[in-house]
Amino acid sequence: MACFPLFVQLEGCQCLVVGGGKVALRKCQTLSEFGANVLVAAKEACRELQEFSSSHPSVTLLTRPAKVSDADGMSLVICASDDEALHKEIADYCRDRRILVNTADDRENCTFFFPAIVRQEDVVIGISTGGNSPAASKYLRQLLQKEIPKYFGSLVKRLGSFRCTAKALLPLPSQREQLFTQLLEEGIAHKGELTSEFMKAKLDQALKQAEKPSNPHAPLERV
């Protein structure tokens, strides 16, 4: 069965990564990018992981075998070592305590799947095949990275900075939807360029449109 995509806030959350190889490194890099505090437990860690943890204060590396109790208090647990027996033990421990757990290459011991991610600032696309084909997820990630304009993340952030103003002046969601559709189309047409003057002009136009009285003689729509 396909999994429901749910985007969660990881800023300041505690996450555990079990393993010290390249897979564990990639998981740490992604979690750290989204603001998580990451505890890594591994008897041995590759040089890249050691360097990454040394240069990122939010990542703590414990060079000792992981224990199931390391999962206590964690928001997410990711098993990425070569110890399948330990993975199973940790996954069972997490299930009993309703801690989300992902086990690399073992979909049966996952309560969530770590997606392939495409990101531009606050625009994030997560791709999952339900654990069926990581290669397919990687293919789609690479495809989408090429298709999304490089300016798109900054354009969306620009639109977001205007939302509070628009929300305060335009009470109806339909009015704001129409306004931001026009602004987005303008930004795309000009490859990310969206001036304050244009946004203000479009907002003024939307306000005038909202102030127009409805026509009492307009025919009623049939339902």
Side-chain angles (χ1 to χ4, degrees):
M1 178 180 291
C3 294
F4 178 76
L6 178 66
F7 288 85
V8 297
Q9 176 60 258
L10 287 183
E11 184 77 32
C13 290
Q14 305 299 315
C15 300
L16 171 67
V17 175
V18 176
K22 298 295 179 64
V23 175
L25 170 64
R26 291 196 297 271
K27 306 301 184 185
C28 289
Q29 290 170 331
T30 301
L31 292 172
S32 178
E33 181 183 348
F34 284 88
N37 295 318
V38 185
L39 175 66
V40 189
K43 185 176 180 180
E44 296 180 354
C46 66
R47 178 180 54 82
E48 293 87 348
L49 181 53
Q50 294 177 33
E51 292 175 351
F52 184 78
S53 63
S54 296
S55 60
H56 290 75
S58 63
V59 179
T60 301
L61 174 61
L62 299 179
T63 51
R64 56 129 173 102
K67 302 180 292 187
V68 292
S69 58
D70 290 333
D72 289 336
M74 297 294 168
S75 298
L76 299 176
V77 173
I78 297 171
C79 297
S81 74
D82 57 1
D83 190 336
E84 294 183 3
L86 176 62
H87 288 182
K88 177 70 165 60
E89 191 177 358
I90 291 176
D92 290 342
Y93 186 88
C94 290
R95 279 198 186 90
D96 290 343
R97 289 156 182 78
R98 296 186 180 276
I99 300 170
L100 293 172
V101 59
N102 173 270
T103 303
D105 293 328
D106 186 359
R107 58 186 294 187
E108 301 304 322
N109 279 316
C110 295
T111 56
F112 82 97
F113 293 107
F114 204 99
I117 292 173
V118 179
R119 181 179 183 185
Q120 279 192 29
E121 299 192 33
D122 291 344
V123 176
V124 180
I125 301 173
I127 305 163
S128 172
T129 60
N132 287 299
S133 177
S137 295
K138 180 180 179 180
Y139 169 80
L140 290 174
R141 174 176 60 80
Q142 293 173 338
L143 181 66
L144 289 170
Q145 282 178 331
K146 295 175 183 177
E147 291 297 323
I148 299 174
K150 293 181 179 180
Y151 60 77
F152 203 78
S154 58
L155 173 59
V156 169
K157 200 166 188 177
R158 180 92 168 114
L159 293 172
S161 68
F162 198 56
R163 287 194 66 81
C164 288
T165 300
K167 192 171 183 179
L169 297 175
L170 295 173
L172 298 180
S174 59
Q175 296 169 337
R176 297 194 296 272
E177 180 182 0
Q178 182 178 12
L179 170 64
F180 279 99
T181 297
Q182 293 173 343
L183 295 179
L184 177 63
E185 290 174 347
E186 172 74 8
I188 292 174
H190 291 83
K191 298 185 177 180
E193 291 295 327
L194 191 61
T195 66
S196 299
E197 292 76 15
F198 182 86
M199 290 194 291
K200 185 178 183 303
K202 281 297 180 183
L203 177 58
D204 290 343
Q205 180 181 333
L207 289 170
K208 290 177 182 178
Q209 186 67 30
E211 291 170 358
K212 287 184 179 179
S214 59
N215 183 2
H217 303 294
L220 296 176
E221 292 185 5
R222 291 188 178 183
V223 179

